[in-house]
Amino acid sequence: MERIKVAELFAGVGGFRLGLENTNSKVFDVTWANQWEPSRKVQHAFECYSHHFNTGQHVNIDINNVSDKEMADTNIDMIVGGFPCQDYSVARSLSGELGIQGKKGVLFWQIIRFIQNTFPKFLLLENVDRLLKSPSSQRGRDFSVMLSTLNELGYDIEWRVINAADYGNSQRRRRVFIFGYKRDLSYGKLLQNKELEDIIYESGLYAKAFPIEKEPYKNRVSYTEIPKDIVEVSEDFSFTYFNSGVMRNGEVCTIDTKPILEEPTPLKDILETEVDEKYYLDNSKIEKFNYLRGPKKIKRTSKTGHEYYFSEGGMSETDSLELPARTMLTSEGSINRSTHFLKDNVGYRILTPVEAERLNGFPDNWTNTMNDRMRYFCMGNALVIPLITRIANQIEEIVSISDDSYSQLELF
Ligand SMILES: C[S@@+](CC[C@H](N)C(=O)[O-])C[C@H]1O[C@@H](n2cnc3c(N)ncnc32)[C@H](O)[C@@H]1O
């Protein structure tokens, strides 16, 4: 099978690359990667990435400063990347022209610029699931801007919100995965004749990689057509996107689907057996965690002088070792309510950096090129690698439907 040359954008410590390199047929070759942590002198994630991977070009500059030529010269077949959820709105330019240049500094538009310079066959993007609903004042606007833009560039899209623990992993981490393919590829042509619902339930990439029940949750199925004018989309369009969906030629079908659950891995299964004492907590830290996790009702005063009560419910005393872990955030290295707090047979402690890596499916000590605090930070940013491998195995299946076999299919 021909190699698929990949550009890894917003590469972090290489979660996508590790997932792609672990597939059945090993066709993915990351030949160009970009990672730059804004406003940091020491580029921890980039250093870690370059330490582990020694093929391809690794670029440590702000993606906004990568030139069109440099992008075009990559000559890649696929773009992958986990990018921030920002405001994707667009305004008509004063001259009235339609362009697909959004706000400056919004990184999604850099992905679009990369696509315009390379027109890869495939895209695989990852984001927080909130992207489907943003902004709250105009539900679904940002995702619609994204779909409209990709539609205009000739891509069809499948998306799915996946909670890693639902498919056997040790972390409850819910993210939206967006798969795009040029509509003139064999795969796109094959799906032309399918019902959109069939793509979601049966024949699409996610249906194969992550099986779901064939019934929608609470009958939630919706259709819409995305306007071609992205300014119109940005100004007026809103729509409720469910966790699964497909866009073909601007026609959208979205369904609230239920996963066919696979046995999750409990937290206890990924814990280290020998844990350095520095990860165990003294009484003052234990008390702090107890307070943070406990129920509260606190009187506060707003900026305008208005008094109100802030309240939050209690959490379990410690994280259950029998369940998958909660979502790891970039703040995992500090004491706060979302940080994991465990009790093992020695005492109360936090996760070790190696356990944080295991929750995402990274090899042990992958990030030991940096200090602990940064290791937790990078894992809070990263993704659950086995999910990428499952998706990438399906992309390999798609690639194996060559144009020749497609024309054969048409002939017979
Ligand atoms: C959500 S993380 C992706 C993590 C990655 N998937 C991994 O497995 O480690 C986004 C990454 O984009 C990087 N980033 C943010 N702004 C950037 C920019 N302007 N140019 C290049 N990279 C940027 C951040 O430093 C961060 O590592």
Side-chain angles (χ1 to χ4, degrees):
M1 216 187 279
E2 236 176 82
R3 304 280 286 162
I4 300 178
K5 288 206 275 171
V6 181
E8 185 174 19
L9 310 186
F10 313 107
V13 293
F16 265 103
R17 182 160 180 172
L18 279 165
L20 294 175
E21 289 186 349
N22 223 2
T23 56
N24 298 329
S25 306
K26 309 274 180 295
V27 302
F28 297 97
D29 184 8
V30 178
T31 52
W32 196 89
N34 175 249
Q35 161 58 33
W36 181 74
E37 182 68 39
S39 60
R40 270 190 208 264
K41 233 174 153 181
V42 184
Q43 293 286 315
H44 294 98
F46 181 79
E47 281 171 13
C48 174
Y49 190 99
S50 306
H51 171 77
H52 289 292
F53 299 114
N54 45 29
T55 62
Q57 202 183 337
H58 307 157
V59 179
N60 182 215
I61 60 172
D62 183 343
I63 182 101
N64 290 287
N65 298 330
V66 177
S67 70
D68 287 348
K69 180 173 183 319
E70 196 174 344
M71 288 182 180
D73 286 348
T74 60
N75 202 17
I76 43 84
D77 307 302
M78 176 162 150
I79 290 175
V80 299
F83 60 108
C85 176
Q86 294 168 296
D87 175 345
Y88 303 151
S89 60
V90 279
R92 206 175 292 277
S93 70
L94 286 177
S95 59
E97 282 163 38
L98 284 183
I100 47 175
Q101 289 309 313
K103 279 189 201 163
K104 246 189 139 213
V106 175
L107 295 169
F108 168 67
W109 300 111
Q110 296 304 319
I111 298 180
I112 294 301
R113 189 163 67 88
F114 215 111
I115 296 172
Q116 289 171 308
N117 280 304
T118 52
F119 282 100
K121 291 180 181 144
F122 303 111
L123 317 168
L124 181 60
L125 308 173
E126 178 244 11
N127 211 308
V128 291
D129 56 340
R130 180 164 48 85
L131 167 66
L132 298 181
K133 304 200 162 81
S134 298
S136 51
S137 56
Q138 192 187 340
R139 265 183 152 230
R141 178 200 69 191
D142 289 347
F143 192 56
S144 305
V145 167
M146 205 172 154
L147 290 180
S148 172
T149 309
L150 292 169
N151 183 40
E152 282 304 287
L153 292 173
Y155 290 84
D156 286 343
I157 303 293
E158 295 173 34
W159 75 88
R160 173 81 76 78
V161 175
I162 300 168
N163 181 345
D166 288 347
Y167 290 96
N169 294 283
S170 55
Q171 187 185 171
R172 285 171 269 168
R173 192 177 186 89
R174 208 198 316 249
R175 291 289 183 268
V176 60
F177 293 88
I178 300 159
F179 173 57
Y181 41 94
K182 266 171 118 173
R183 105 174 29 108
D184 57 5
L185 291 181
S186 320
Y187 178 69
K189 289 181 194 160
L190 275 175
L191 294 185
Q192 282 300 321
N193 309 320
K194 306 274 184 195
E195 297 285 330
L196 294 182
E197 289 192 25
D198 178 84
I199 298 175
I200 295 173
Y201 283 130
E202 281 299 338
S203 43
L205 169 127
Y206 293 112
K208 298 208 161 100
F210 301 100
I212 46 176
E213 309 275 359
K214 301 285 184 289
E215 279 289 307
Y217 178 64
K218 292 192 177 169
N219 274 327
R220 288 176 183 154
V221 181
S222 294
Y223 286 86
T224 190
E225 183 148 357
I226 302 277
K228 286 205 155 94
D229 177 351
I230 55 161
V231 182
E232 193 186 310
V233 176
S234 182
E235 283 169 358
D236 298 322
F237 194 80
S238 81
F239 182 68
T240 300
Y241 291 100
F242 298 125
N243 60 7
S244 296
V246 57
M247 177 196 68
R248 188 181 58 200
N249 295 318
E251 268 181 64
V252 168
C253 172
T254 181
I255 305 180
D256 202 345
T257 59
K258 289 177 287 184
I260 295 181
L261 298 174
E262 295 171 19
E263 193 66 36
T265 305
L267 181 52
K268 65 175 184 209
D269 285 14
I270 61 94
L271 296 184
E272 291 193 271
T273 41
E274 300 277 308
V275 173
D276 190 295
E277 64 184 41
K278 70 179 175 183
Y279 301 108
Y280 287 93
L281 303 170
D282 61 25
N283 280 338
S284 77
K285 286 185 179 142
I286 294 171
E287 267 171 36
K288 202 162 174 199
F289 263 118
N290 285 338
Y291 169 74
L292 289 167
R293 295 172 72 101
K296 336 179 168 50
K297 193 167 180 195
I298 307 166
K299 200 177 197 177
R300 284 189 180 163
T301 311
S302 73
K303 276 185 199 151
T304 54
H306 163 78
E307 284 194 341
Y308 67 101
Y309 279 96
F310 164 79
S311 61
E312 59 188 6
M315 298 167 69
S316 59
E317 191 212 354
T318 54
D319 284 282
S320 168
L321 304 186
E322 303 300 323
L323 293 173
R326 290 172 298 108
T327 309
M328 239 186 320
L329 305 180
T330 47
S331 56
E332 186 71 36
S334 64
I335 296 190
N336 71 65
R337 193 172 147 98
S338 54
T339 298
H340 291 83
F341 177 51
L342 324 180
K343 184 170 191 243
D344 66 13
N345 45 19
V346 177
Y348 290 94
R349 67 172 178 91
I350 54 170
L351 290 172
T352 67
V354 164
E355 289 163 349
E357 288 161 350
R358 289 180 183 172
L359 289 180
N360 280 333
F362 278 74
D364 284 3
N365 286 314
W366 185 259
T367 54
N368 68 5
T369 51
M370 58 187 98
N371 64 41
D372 276 7
R373 208 180 166 84
M374 286 313 298
R375 292 179 76 175
Y376 294 115
F377 179 83
C378 285
M379 284 301 109
N381 254 341
L383 40 73
V384 176
I385 292 173
L387 300 182
I388 300 301
T389 304
R390 277 171 83 149
I391 295 172
N393 276 329
Q394 284 307 318
I395 300 177
E396 286 184 344
E397 293 291 319
I398 288 171
V399 172
S400 69
I401 322 169
S402 70
D403 275 310
D404 286 353
S405 58
Y406 174 70
S407 47
Q408 301 261 331
L409 278 171
E410 288 292 276
L411 278 172
F412 295 107

